[in-house]
Coordinates of all heavy atoms in Angstrom, one line a residue:
K1 N 11.4 -37.6 28.3 CA 10.5 -37.0 27.3 C 9.0 -37.5 27.6 O 8.8 -38.6 28.0 CB 10.8 -37.4 25.9 CG 9.9 -36.9 24.8 CD 10.4 -37.3 23.5 CE 9.4 -36.8 22.5 NZ 9.8 -37.0 21.1
I2 N 8.1 -36.6 27.5 CA 6.7 -36.9 27.8 C 5.9 -36.5 26.5 O 5.9 -35.2 26.2 CB 6.2 -36.3 29.0 CG1 6.8 -36.8 30.2 CG2 4.5 -36.5 29.1 CD1 6.4 -36.1 31.5
A3 N 5.3 -37.4 25.8 CA 4.6 -37.1 24.6 C 3.2 -36.4 24.8 O 2.7 -36.6 25.9 CB 4.5 -38.3 23.7
K4 N 2.7 -35.8 23.8 CA 1.4 -35.2 23.8 C 0.4 -36.3 24.1 O 0.5 -37.4 23.6 CB 1.1 -34.6 22.5 CG -0.3 -34.0 22.3 CD -0.5 -33.3 21.0 CE -1.8 -32.8 20.6 NZ -2.7 -32.1 21.7
N5 N -0.6 -35.9 24.9 CA -1.7 -36.9 25.3 C -1.2 -38.1 26.1 O -2.1 -39.0 26.2 CB -2.5 -37.3 24.0 CG -3.1 -36.2 23.2 OD1 -3.4 -35.1 23.8 ND2 -3.1 -36.3 22.0
A6 N -0.1 -38.1 26.6 CA 0.4 -39.2 27.4 C -0.5 -39.7 28.6 O -0.6 -40.8 28.8 CB 1.8 -39.0 27.9
F7 N -1.1 -38.6 29.2 CA -2.0 -39.0 30.3 C -3.4 -38.8 30.1 O -4.3 -39.0 31.1 CB -1.5 -38.0 31.4 CG -0.2 -38.3 32.0 CD1 0.9 -37.6 31.5 CD2 0.1 -39.3 32.9 CE1 2.2 -37.9 31.8 CE2 1.3 -39.6 33.4 CZ 2.4 -39.0 32.8
I8 N -3.9 -38.6 28.9 CA -5.4 -38.5 28.6 C -6.1 -39.8 29.0 O -5.5 -40.8 28.7 CB -5.6 -38.1 27.2 CG1 -5.2 -36.6 27.0 CG2 -7.1 -38.3 26.8 CD1 -5.5 -36.1 25.6
G9 N -7.2 -39.7 29.8 CA -8.0 -40.8 30.0 C -7.5 -41.5 31.4 O -8.1 -42.4 31.9
T10 N -6.5 -40.9 32.0 CA -6.0 -41.4 33.3 C -6.6 -40.7 34.4 O -7.3 -39.5 34.3 CB -4.4 -41.3 33.4 OG1 -4.1 -39.9 33.6 CG2 -3.8 -41.9 32.3
A11 N -6.7 -41.2 35.6 CA -7.2 -40.6 36.8 C -6.5 -39.2 37.2 O -7.2 -38.3 37.5 CB -7.0 -41.5 38.0
L12 N -5.2 -39.1 36.8 CA -4.5 -37.9 37.0 C -5.0 -36.8 36.1 O -5.3 -35.7 36.6 CB -3.0 -38.1 36.8 CG -2.2 -38.9 37.8 CD1 -0.9 -39.3 37.2 CD2 -2.1 -38.1 39.1
Y13 N -5.4 -37.2 34.8 CA -5.7 -36.2 34.0 C -7.1 -35.8 34.2 O -7.5 -34.7 34.0 CB -5.5 -36.7 32.5 CG -5.9 -35.7 31.4 CD1 -4.8 -35.1 30.8 CD2 -7.1 -35.6 30.9 CE1 -5.0 -34.2 29.8 CE2 -7.3 -34.7 29.8 CZ -6.3 -34.0 29.2 OH -6.5 -33.1 28.2
D14 N -8.0 -36.8 34.5 CA -9.5 -36.5 34.6 C -10.0 -35.9 35.8 O -11.1 -35.4 35.9 CB -10.3 -37.9 34.3 CG -10.1 -38.4 32.9 OD1 -9.8 -37.5 32.0 OD2 -10.3 -39.6 32.7
N15 N -9.0 -35.8 36.8 CA -9.4 -35.1 38.1 C -9.2 -33.7 38.1 O -8.0 -33.3 38.1 CB -8.6 -35.9 39.2 CG -9.0 -35.4 40.6 OD1 -9.7 -34.4 40.8 ND2 -8.7 -36.2 41.6
D16 N -10.1 -32.9 38.1 CA -10.0 -31.5 38.1 C -9.1 -30.9 39.1 O -8.5 -29.8 39.0 CB -11.4 -30.7 38.0 CG -12.0 -30.9 36.8 OD1 -11.5 -31.2 35.7 OD2 -13.3 -30.7 36.7
A17 N -9.0 -31.6 40.2 CA -8.2 -31.1 41.4 C -6.8 -31.1 41.1 O -6.0 -30.5 41.8 CB -8.5 -32.1 42.6
N18 N -6.3 -31.9 40.1 CA -4.9 -31.9 39.7 C -4.5 -30.7 38.8 O -3.4 -30.6 38.5 CB -4.7 -33.2 39.0 CG -4.7 -34.4 40.0 OD1 -4.4 -34.3 41.1 ND2 -5.2 -35.6 39.5
W19 N -5.5 -30.0 38.4 CA -5.2 -28.9 37.4 C -5.1 -27.6 38.2 O -6.0 -27.3 39.0 CB -6.3 -28.8 36.4 CG -6.3 -30.0 35.4 CD1 -6.9 -31.2 35.7 CD2 -5.9 -30.1 34.1 NE1 -6.7 -32.0 34.6 CE2 -6.1 -31.3 33.6 CE3 -5.2 -29.1 33.3 CZ2 -5.7 -31.7 32.4 CZ3 -4.8 -29.5 32.1 CH2 -5.1 -30.8 31.5
Q20 N -4.1 -26.8 37.9 CA -3.9 -25.5 38.6 C -4.1 -24.5 37.6 O -3.3 -24.3 36.6 CB -2.4 -25.5 39.2 CG -2.1 -26.4 40.2 CD -0.6 -26.4 40.5 OE1 0.1 -25.5 40.2 NE2 -0.1 -27.5 41.2
E21 N -5.2 -23.8 37.7 CA -5.5 -22.6 36.7 C -5.4 -23.1 35.2 O -4.9 -22.5 34.3 CB -4.5 -21.5 36.9 CG -4.6 -20.9 38.2 CD -3.5 -19.8 38.3 OE1 -3.1 -19.2 37.3 OE2 -3.1 -19.5 39.5
G22 N -6.0 -24.3 35.0 CA -6.0 -24.9 33.7 C -4.7 -25.6 33.2 O -4.6 -25.9 32.0
V23 N -3.8 -25.8 34.2 CA -2.5 -26.4 33.7 C -2.3 -27.6 34.6 O -2.5 -27.7 35.9 CB -1.3 -25.4 34.1 CG1 -0.1 -26.0 33.8 CG2 -1.6 -24.1 33.3
L24 N -1.9 -28.7 34.0 CA -1.7 -30.0 34.7 C -0.2 -30.2 34.9 O 0.6 -30.2 33.9 CB -2.3 -31.2 33.9 CG -2.0 -32.6 34.4 CD1 -2.7 -32.7 35.7 CD2 -2.4 -33.6 33.5
Y25 N 0.1 -30.3 36.0 CA 1.5 -30.7 36.6 C 1.5 -32.0 37.2 O 0.6 -32.4 38.0 CB 2.1 -29.7 37.6 CG 2.4 -28.3 37.2 CD1 1.4 -27.3 37.1 CD2 3.7 -28.1 36.8 CE1 1.8 -26.0 36.7 CE2 4.1 -26.8 36.3 CZ 3.2 -25.8 36.3 OH 3.5 -24.5 35.9
I26 N 2.4 -32.9 36.8 CA 2.6 -34.2 37.5 C 4.0 -34.2 38.0 O 5.0 -34.1 37.2 CB 2.3 -35.4 36.6 CG1 0.8 -35.4 36.1 CG2 2.5 -36.7 37.3 CD1 0.4 -36.3 35.1
G27 N 4.2 -34.1 39.3 CA 5.5 -34.0 40.0 C 6.2 -32.7 39.5 O 5.4 -31.6 39.5
D28 N 7.3 -32.8 38.9 CA 8.0 -31.6 38.4 C 8.0 -31.4 36.9 O 8.8 -30.8 36.4 CB 9.5 -31.5 38.9 CG 10.2 -32.8 38.3 OD1 9.6 -33.6 37.6 OD2 11.4 -32.8 38.6
C29 N 6.8 -32.0 36.4 CA 6.6 -31.8 34.9 C 5.4 -31.1 34.6 O 4.3 -31.5 35.1 CB 6.5 -33.2 34.3 SG 8.1 -34.3 34.5
L30 N 5.4 -30.2 33.7 CA 4.3 -29.5 33.2 C 3.8 -30.2 32.0 O 4.4 -30.4 30.9 CB 4.5 -28.0 32.7 CG 3.4 -27.2 32.3 CD1 3.7 -25.6 32.5 CD2 2.8 -27.4 31.0
I31 N 2.6 -30.8 32.1 CA 2.1 -31.9 31.2 C 1.3 -31.2 30.0 O 1.5 -31.5 28.9 CB 1.3 -32.9 31.8 CG1 2.0 -33.6 33.0 CG2 0.6 -33.9 30.8 CD1 3.3 -34.2 32.5
E32 N 0.3 -30.4 30.3 CA -0.6 -29.7 29.4 C -1.3 -28.6 30.0 O -1.5 -28.5 31.1 CB -1.6 -30.8 29.0 CG -2.6 -30.3 27.8 CD -3.5 -31.5 27.4 OE1 -3.1 -32.7 27.6 OE2 -4.4 -31.2 26.8
V33 N -1.7 -27.7 29.0 CA -2.5 -26.6 29.3 C -3.8 -26.8 28.6 O -3.8 -27.0 27.4 CB -1.8 -25.2 28.9 CG1 -2.7 -24.1 29.2 CG2 -0.5 -25.0 29.6
K34 N -5.0 -26.7 29.4 CA -6.2 -26.9 28.7 C -7.1 -25.7 28.5 O -8.2 -25.7 27.9 CB -7.0 -28.0 29.4 CG -7.6 -27.7 30.7 CD -8.6 -28.9 31.2 CE -9.0 -28.6 32.6 NZ -9.8 -29.6 33.1
T35 N -6.6 -24.5 29.1 CA -7.4 -23.4 29.1 C -6.4 -22.2 28.4 O -5.2 -22.1 28.7 CB -7.6 -22.8 30.5 OG1 -8.3 -23.8 31.2 CG2 -8.4 -21.5 30.5
P36 N -7.0 -21.6 27.3 CA -6.2 -20.6 26.7 C -5.7 -19.6 27.7 O -6.5 -19.1 28.5 CB -7.1 -20.0 25.6 CG -8.0 -21.0 25.3 CD -8.3 -21.8 26.7
L37 N -4.5 -19.1 27.6 CA -3.9 -18.1 28.5 C -3.3 -17.0 27.8 O -2.8 -17.3 26.6 CB -2.8 -18.8 29.4 CG -3.2 -20.0 30.1 CD1 -2.0 -20.7 30.7 CD2 -4.1 -19.6 31.3
E38 N -3.2 -15.8 28.3 CA -2.6 -14.6 27.7 C -1.2 -14.6 28.3 O -0.2 -14.1 27.6 CB -3.3 -13.4 27.9 CG -4.6 -13.2 27.1 CD -5.2 -11.9 27.1 OE1 -4.5 -10.9 27.3 OE2 -6.3 -11.8 26.8
K39 N -0.9 -14.9 29.6 CA 0.4 -14.8 30.2 C 0.4 -16.0 31.2 O -0.7 -16.3 31.8 CB 0.8 -13.5 30.8 CG -0.2 -13.1 31.9 CD 0.1 -11.7 32.5 CE -0.8 -11.3 33.6 NZ -0.3 -10.1 34.2
Y40 N 1.7 -16.5 31.5 CA 1.8 -17.6 32.4 C 3.2 -17.6 32.9 O 4.2 -17.4 32.2 CB 1.4 -18.9 31.8 CG 1.3 -20.0 32.7 CD1 0.2 -20.0 33.7 CD2 2.3 -20.9 32.8 CE1 0.1 -20.9 34.7 CE2 2.1 -22.0 33.8 CZ 1.1 -22.0 34.7 OH 1.0 -23.0 35.6
A41 N 3.3 -17.8 34.3 CA 4.5 -18.0 34.9 C 4.6 -19.5 35.3 O 3.7 -20.0 36.1 CB 4.7 -17.2 36.1
I42 N 5.5 -20.3 34.7 CA 5.6 -21.7 35.0 C 6.2 -21.9 36.4 O 7.0 -21.1 36.9 CB 6.7 -22.3 33.9 CG1 6.0 -22.3 32.6 CG2 6.9 -23.8 34.4 CD1 6.9 -22.6 31.5
T43 N 5.5 -22.8 37.1 CA 5.8 -23.0 38.6 C 7.4 -23.3 38.8 O 8.0 -24.1 38.0 CB 5.0 -24.2 39.1 OG1 3.6 -23.8 38.9 CG2 5.3 -24.4 40.6
E44 N 8.0 -22.5 39.8 CA 9.3 -22.9 40.2 C 9.4 -24.2 40.6 O 8.5 -24.9 41.2 CB 9.7 -21.9 41.3 CG 9.9 -20.4 41.0 CD 11.1 -20.2 40.0 OE1 12.1 -21.0 40.0 OE2 10.9 -19.2 39.3
G45 N 10.5 -24.9 40.2 CA 10.7 -26.3 40.5 C 10.3 -27.3 39.3 O 10.6 -28.3 39.3
T46 N 9.7 -26.6 38.4 CA 9.3 -27.4 37.1 C 10.6 -27.8 36.4 O 11.4 -26.9 36.0 CB 8.3 -26.7 36.2 OG1 7.1 -26.3 36.9 CG2 8.0 -27.4 34.9
R47 N 10.8 -29.1 36.0 CA 11.9 -29.6 35.4 C 11.8 -29.8 33.9 O 12.6 -29.6 33.0 CB 12.3 -30.9 36.0 CG 13.5 -31.6 35.3 CD 13.8 -33.0 35.9 NE 12.6 -33.9 35.9 CZ 12.2 -34.6 34.8 NH1 13.0 -34.5 33.7 NH2 11.2 -35.4 34.9
L48 N 10.5 -30.1 33.4 CA 10.3 -30.5 32.1 C 8.9 -29.9 31.6 O 7.9 -29.9 32.4 CB 10.1 -32.0 31.9 CG 9.8 -32.6 30.7 CD1 10.5 -33.9 30.4 CD2 8.3 -33.0 30.6
I49 N 8.9 -29.5 30.3 CA 7.6 -29.1 29.8 C 7.3 -30.1 28.7 O 8.2 -30.3 27.8 CB 7.7 -27.6 29.2 CG1 8.0 -26.6 30.2 CG2 6.4 -27.3 28.4 CD1 8.3 -25.3 29.8
A50 N 6.2 -30.8 28.7 CA 5.9 -31.9 27.8 C 5.7 -31.3 26.3 O 5.5 -30.1 26.1 CB 4.7 -32.6 28.3
D51 N 5.8 -32.3 25.4 CA 5.5 -32.0 23.9 C 4.2 -31.4 23.8 O 3.2 -31.8 24.4 CB 5.6 -33.3 23.1 CG 7.0 -33.9 23.0 OD1 7.9 -33.3 23.5 OD2 7.0 -35.1 22.5
E52 N 4.1 -30.3 23.0 CA 2.8 -29.6 22.7 C 2.0 -29.2 23.9 O 0.9 -29.0 23.8 CB 2.0 -30.5 21.8 CG 2.7 -30.8 20.4 CD 1.8 -31.6 19.5 OE1 0.7 -31.2 19.2 OE2 2.4 -32.6 19.0
A53 N 2.6 -28.8 25.0 CA 2.0 -28.5 26.2 C 1.1 -27.3 26.1 O 0.0 -27.2 26.7 CB 3.1 -28.3 27.3
F54 N 1.5 -26.3 25.4 CA 0.8 -25.0 25.2 C 0.1 -24.9 23.9 O -0.1 -23.8 23.4 CB 1.8 -23.8 25.3 CG 2.2 -23.7 26.8 CD1 3.2 -24.4 27.4 CD2 1.6 -22.7 27.6 CE1 3.6 -24.2 28.7 CE2 1.9 -22.6 28.9 CZ 3.0 -23.3 29.5
V55 N -0.3 -26.1 23.3 CA -0.9 -26.1 22.0 C -2.2 -25.2 21.9 O -2.6 -24.7 20.8 CB -1.1 -27.5 21.5 CG1 -2.2 -28.2 22.1 CG2 -1.4 -27.5 20.0
V56 N -3.0 -25.1 23.0 CA -4.2 -24.3 23.0 C -4.1 -22.8 23.3 O -5.0 -22.2 23.4 CB -5.3 -25.0 23.9 CG1 -5.5 -26.4 23.7 CG2 -4.9 -24.7 25.4
C57 N -2.8 -22.5 23.5 CA -2.5 -21.0 23.8 C -2.1 -20.2 22.7 O -1.0 -19.5 22.8 CB -1.4 -21.1 24.9 SG -2.0 -21.9 26.4
D58 N -2.8 -20.2 21.6 CA -2.3 -19.3 20.5 C -2.5 -17.8 20.8 O -1.9 -17.0 20.1 CB -3.1 -19.7 19.2 CG -4.6 -19.5 19.3 OD1 -5.1 -19.3 20.5 OD2 -5.3 -19.7 18.3
G59 N -3.1 -17.4 22.0 CA -3.3 -16.1 22.4 C -2.2 -15.7 23.5 O -2.3 -14.6 24.0
L60 N -1.3 -16.7 23.8 CA -0.3 -16.4 24.8 C 0.7 -15.4 24.3 O 1.2 -15.4 23.3 CB 0.5 -17.7 25.1 CG 1.5 -17.7 26.3 CD1 0.7 -17.6 27.6 CD2 2.2 -19.0 26.3
K61 N 0.8 -14.3 25.2 CA 1.7 -13.1 24.9 C 3.0 -13.1 25.7 O 4.0 -12.5 25.2 CB 0.9 -11.8 25.1 CG -0.3 -11.6 24.2 CD -1.1 -10.4 24.6 CE -2.3 -10.2 23.7 NZ -3.1 -9.1 24.0
S62 N 3.0 -13.8 26.8 CA 4.2 -13.8 27.6 C 4.4 -15.1 28.5 O 3.3 -15.6 28.9 CB 4.4 -12.5 28.4 OG 3.4 -12.6 29.5
I63 N 5.5 -15.5 28.6 CA 5.8 -16.8 29.4 C 7.0 -16.5 30.2 O 7.9 -15.9 29.8 CB 6.0 -18.0 28.5 CG1 6.0 -19.3 29.3 CG2 7.2 -17.8 27.5 CD1 4.7 -19.8 29.8
K64 N 6.9 -16.9 31.5 CA 8.0 -16.8 32.4 C 8.5 -18.1 32.8 O 7.7 -18.9 33.3 CB 7.6 -15.9 33.7 CG 8.8 -15.8 34.6 CD 8.3 -14.9 35.8 CE 9.5 -14.8 36.8 NZ 9.1 -14.1 38.0
F65 N 9.7 -18.4 32.6 CA 10.3 -19.7 33.0 C 10.9 -19.7 34.4 O 11.5 -18.7 34.8 CB 11.4 -20.1 31.9 CG 10.9 -20.3 30.5 CD1 11.1 -19.2 29.6 CD2 10.2 -21.4 30.2 CE1 10.7 -19.4 28.3 CE2 9.8 -21.6 29.0 CZ 10.0 -20.5 27.9
P66 N 10.9 -20.9 35.0 CA 11.6 -21.0 36.3 C 13.1 -20.8 36.2 O 13.6 -21.3 35.1 CB 11.2 -22.4 36.9 CG 10.7 -23.1 35.7 CD 10.3 -22.1 34.6
K67 N 13.8 -20.1 37.1 CA 15.1 -19.8 36.8 C 16.2 -20.9 37.1 O 17.3 -20.9 36.4 CB 15.5 -18.7 37.8 CG 14.8 -17.4 37.4 CD 15.2 -16.2 38.3 CE 14.5 -15.0 37.9 NZ 14.9 -13.9 38.8
N68 N 15.8 -21.8 38.0 CA 16.8 -22.8 38.5 C 16.6 -24.3 38.2 O 17.3 -25.1 38.6 CB 17.2 -22.5 40.0 CG 17.6 -21.2 40.1 OD1 18.6 -20.7 39.5 ND2 17.1 -20.5 41.1
S69 N 15.3 -24.6 37.7 CA 15.0 -26.0 37.6 C 14.7 -26.5 36.2 O 15.0 -27.7 36.0 CB 13.7 -26.3 38.5 OG 12.7 -25.4 38.0
L70 N 14.3 -25.7 35.3 CA 13.9 -26.2 34.0 C 15.1 -26.7 33.2 O 16.1 -26.0 33.0 CB 13.2 -25.1 33.2 CG 12.5 -25.5 31.8 CD1 11.4 -26.4 32.1 CD2 12.0 -24.3 31.2
T71 N 14.9 -28.0 32.7 CA 16.1 -28.6 31.9 C 15.6 -29.0 30.5 O 16.4 -29.0 29.6 CB 16.7 -29.8 32.6 OG1 15.7 -30.8 32.7 CG2 17.3 -29.5 33.9
T72 N 14.3 -29.3 30.4 CA 13.9 -29.9 29.2 C 12.5 -29.2 28.7 O 11.6 -29.1 29.4 CB 13.6 -31.3 29.4 OG1 14.7 -31.9 29.8 CG2 13.2 -32.0 28.0
I73 N 12.5 -28.9 27.3 CA 11.3 -28.4 26.7 C 11.0 -29.2 25.6 O 11.8 -29.4 24.7 CB 11.5 -26.8 26.2 CG1 11.8 -25.9 27.4 CG2 10.3 -26.3 25.5 CD1 12.3 -24.6 27.1
G74 N 9.8 -29.8 25.6 CA 9.4 -30.8 24.6 C 9.2 -30.2 23.2 O 9.1 -29.0 23.0
A75 N 9.1 -31.2 22.2 CA 8.8 -30.7 20.9 C 7.5 -30.1 20.7 O 6.4 -30.3 21.3 CB 8.7 -32.0 20.0
K76 N 7.5 -29.0 19.9 CA 6.3 -28.2 19.7 C 5.6 -27.6 20.9 O 4.4 -27.3 20.8 CB 5.3 -29.0 18.8 CG 5.9 -29.4 17.4 CD 4.8 -30.1 16.7 CE 5.5 -30.5 15.3 NZ 4.6 -31.2 14.5
A77 N 6.3 -27.5 22.0 CA 5.8 -27.1 23.3 C 5.1 -25.8 23.1 O 4.0 -25.5 23.7 CB 6.8 -27.0 24.3
F78 N 5.6 -24.8 22.4 CA 5.0 -23.5 22.3 C 4.8 -23.2 20.7 O 4.8 -22.0 20.3 CB 6.0 -22.4 22.8 CG 6.2 -22.5 24.3 CD1 7.3 -23.3 24.8 CD2 5.3 -21.8 25.2 CE1 7.4 -23.4 26.1 CE2 5.5 -21.9 26.5 CZ 6.5 -22.8 27.0
N79 N 4.6 -24.1 20.0 CA 4.6 -24.1 18.5 C 3.4 -23.2 17.9 O 3.6 -22.6 17.0 CB 4.3 -25.5 17.9 CG 4.5 -25.6 16.5 OD1 5.5 -25.0 16.0 ND2 3.8 -26.3 15.7
T80 N 2.3 -22.9 18.8 CA 1.3 -22.1 18.3 C 1.2 -20.7 18.9 O 0.3 -20.0 18.7 CB -0.1 -22.8 18.5 OG1 -0.3 -22.9 20.0 CG2 -0.2 -24.2 17.9
C81 N 2.4 -20.4 19.6 CA 2.3 -19.1 20.4 C 3.0 -17.9 19.6 O 3.9 -17.4 20.1 CB 3.1 -19.5 21.7 SG 2.3 -20.7 22.8
A82 N 2.3 -17.6 18.5 CA 3.0 -16.6 17.6 C 2.9 -15.2 18.2 O 3.6 -14.3 17.8 CB 2.3 -16.6 16.3
L83 N 2.1 -15.0 19.3 CA 2.2 -13.6 19.9 C 3.2 -13.2 20.7 O 3.4 -12.1 21.1 CB 0.7 -13.4 20.6 CG -0.5 -13.5 19.6 CD1 -1.8 -13.3 20.6 CD2 -0.4 -12.4 18.6
I84 N 4.0 -14.3 21.1 CA 5.2 -14.1 21.9 C 6.2 -13.7 21.0 O 6.6 -14.4 20.0 CB 5.6 -15.3 22.8 CG1 4.5 -15.8 23.7 CG2 6.9 -15.2 23.4 CD1 4.8 -17.1 24.4
K85 N 6.8 -12.5 21.1 CA 7.9 -12.0 20.2 C 9.2 -12.6 20.6 O 10.0 -12.7 19.7 CB 7.8 -10.5 20.3 CG 6.6 -9.9 19.8 CD 6.2 -10.3 18.5 CE 4.8 -9.8 18.0 NZ 4.1 -10.6 17.1
S86 N 9.4 -12.8 21.9 CA 10.9 -13.2 22.2 C 10.8 -14.0 23.6 O 9.8 -13.7 24.4 CB 11.9 -12.1 22.3 OG 11.7 -11.3 23.4
V87 N 11.6 -15.0 23.8 CA 11.8 -15.7 25.1 C 13.3 -15.7 25.4 O 14.0 -15.7 24.5 CB 11.2 -17.1 25.1 CG1 9.7 -17.0 24.8 CG2 11.9 -17.9 24.0
S88 N 13.5 -15.7 26.7 CA 14.8 -15.9 27.2 C 14.9 -17.1 28.1 O 14.2 -17.1 29.2 CB 15.3 -14.6 28.0 OG 16.6 -14.7 28.5
L89 N 15.5 -18.1 27.6 CA 15.6 -19.4 28.3 C 16.6 -19.3 29.5 O 17.7 -18.7 29.3 CB 15.9 -20.5 27.4 CG 15.0 -20.8 26.3 CD1 15.6 -21.9 25.4 CD2 13.6 -21.1 26.7
P90 N 16.3 -20.0 30.6 CA 17.2 -20.0 31.7 C 18.4 -20.9 31.3 O 18.3 -21.8 30.4 CB 16.4 -20.6 32.8 CG 15.2 -21.2 32.3 CD 15.0 -20.6 30.9
K91 N 19.6 -20.6 31.9 CA 20.8 -21.4 31.6 C 20.7 -22.8 31.9 O 21.5 -23.7 31.4 CB 22.0 -20.8 32.3 CG 22.3 -19.4 31.8 CD 23.5 -18.8 32.6 CE 23.7 -17.4 32.0 NZ 24.8 -16.7 32.6
T92 N 19.8 -23.3 32.8 CA 19.5 -24.7 33.1 C 19.0 -25.5 32.0 O 19.1 -26.8 32.0 CB 18.6 -24.7 34.3 OG1 17.4 -24.1 34.1 CG2 19.3 -24.1 35.6
V93 N 18.4 -24.9 31.0 CA 17.9 -25.7 29.8 C 18.9 -26.4 29.1 O 19.8 -25.7 28.5 CB 17.0 -24.8 29.0 CG1 16.4 -25.6 27.8 CG2 15.7 -24.2 29.8
T94 N 18.9 -27.7 28.9 CA 19.8 -28.5 28.2 C 19.2 -29.1 27.0 O 19.9 -29.6 26.1 CB 20.5 -29.5 29.1 OG1 19.5 -30.4 29.6 CG2 21.3 -28.9 30.2
S95 N 17.9 -29.2 26.9 CA 17.2 -29.9 25.7 C 16.1 -29.2 25.3 O 15.2 -28.9 26.2 CB 17.0 -31.4 26.2 OG 16.2 -32.0 25.3
V96 N 15.9 -28.9 24.1 CA 14.8 -28.2 23.4 C 14.3 -29.0 22.2 O 15.1 -29.3 21.3 CB 15.1 -26.8 23.0 CG1 14.0 -26.1 22.3 CG2 15.6 -26.0 24.2
G97 N 13.1 -29.5 22.3 CA 12.6 -30.4 21.3 C 12.4 -29.6 20.0 O 12.3 -28.4 19.8
E98 N 12.2 -30.5 18.9 CA 12.0 -30.0 17.6 C 10.8 -29.0 17.6 O 9.7 -29.4 18.0 CB 11.8 -31.1 16.7 CG 11.8 -30.7 15.2 CD 11.7 -32.1 14.3 OE1 12.3 -33.1 14.6 OE2 10.9 -32.0 13.3
E99 N 11.0 -27.9 16.9 CA 9.9 -26.9 16.6 C 9.3 -26.5 17.9 O 8.2 -25.9 17.9 CB 8.8 -27.4 15.7 CG 9.4 -27.8 14.3 CD 8.3 -28.3 13.3 OE1 7.1 -28.2 13.6 OE2 8.7 -28.8 12.3
A100 N 10.0 -26.5 19.0 CA 9.3 -26.1 20.3 C 8.9 -24.6 20.3 O 8.0 -24.2 20.9 CB 10.5 -26.2 21.4
F101 N 9.7 -23.8 19.5 CA 9.4 -22.3 19.5 C 9.2 -21.9 18.1 O 9.6 -20.9 17.7 CB 10.5 -21.5 20.2 CG 10.8 -21.8 21.6 CD1 11.8 -22.6 22.0 CD2 9.9 -21.3 22.6 CE1 12.0 -23.0 23.3 CE2 10.1 -21.5 24.0 CZ 11.1 -22.4 24.2
N102 N 8.7 -22.7 17.3 CA 8.5 -22.5 15.8 C 7.9 -21.1 15.4 O 8.3 -20.5 14.4 CB 7.7 -23.6 15.2 CG 7.9 -23.8 13.6 OD1 8.9 -23.6 13.1 ND2 6.7 -23.9 13.0
A103 N 6.9 -20.7 16.2 CA 6.2 -19.4 15.8 C 6.8 -18.2 16.5 O 6.4 -17.1 16.1 CB 4.7 -19.6 16.2
I104 N 7.7 -18.4 17.3 CA 8.4 -17.3 18.1 C 9.6 -16.8 17.4 O 10.5 -17.5 17.0 CB 8.7 -17.8 19.5 CG1 7.4 -18.1 20.1 CG2 9.4 -16.6 20.3 CD1 7.6 -18.6 21.6
T105 N 9.6 -15.3 17.1 CA 10.7 -14.7 16.4 C 12.1 -14.9 17.0 O 13.0 -15.0 16.3 CB 10.3 -13.2 16.2 OG1 9.0 -13.2 15.7 CG2 11.2 -12.6 15.2
K106 N 12.1 -14.5 18.3 CA 13.5 -14.5 19.0 C 13.6 -15.3 20.2 O 12.8 -15.1 21.2 CB 13.7 -13.0 19.2 CG 15.1 -12.7 19.8 CD 15.3 -11.2 20.0 CE 16.8 -10.9 20.4 NZ 16.9 -9.5 20.8
V107 N 14.5 -16.3 20.1 CA 14.7 -17.1 21.3 C 16.1 -17.1 21.7 O 17.1 -17.2 20.9 CB 14.4 -18.6 21.0 CG1 14.6 -19.5 22.1 CG2 13.0 -18.7 20.5
K108 N 16.5 -16.6 23.0 CA 17.8 -16.6 23.5 C 18.0 -17.7 24.5 O 17.2 -18.0 25.3 CB 18.2 -15.2 24.1 CG 17.5 -14.0 23.5 CD 18.2 -12.8 24.2 CE 17.1 -12.0 24.9 NZ 17.5 -10.8 25.4

C-alpha cells in the first residue's frame, strides 16, 4: 500500500523528469496524477495505483487499465471521477481499497 502524499518533498517527486504527462510512476507503481486529465491509459506493467492517485481528475471520462499486471488499487484512487460511468477491472486485480470507485456508477 502507498498512501497519499507518500513521496511529496522527495527528490523523486520534485524532479519533473520523473513525471510522464503529469503522472508520477515509481517502478511499477502509479503514485499520483498532478494534471487534470480527460482520459488516460495506465502504463502496461503497472502493478499498483496509490491511494487517491487520481484525486485531481474530477474531469476524467475514461480510464484504461493494464491487462496483465495490475493487482492493487488504493483507497479513494478514483474517488472524484464522477464522469466515468463504468469501469471494467482486469482479472489480475486482487485488492481494491475503500471508496476507490466511490463516484463511479458501475464497476465490474
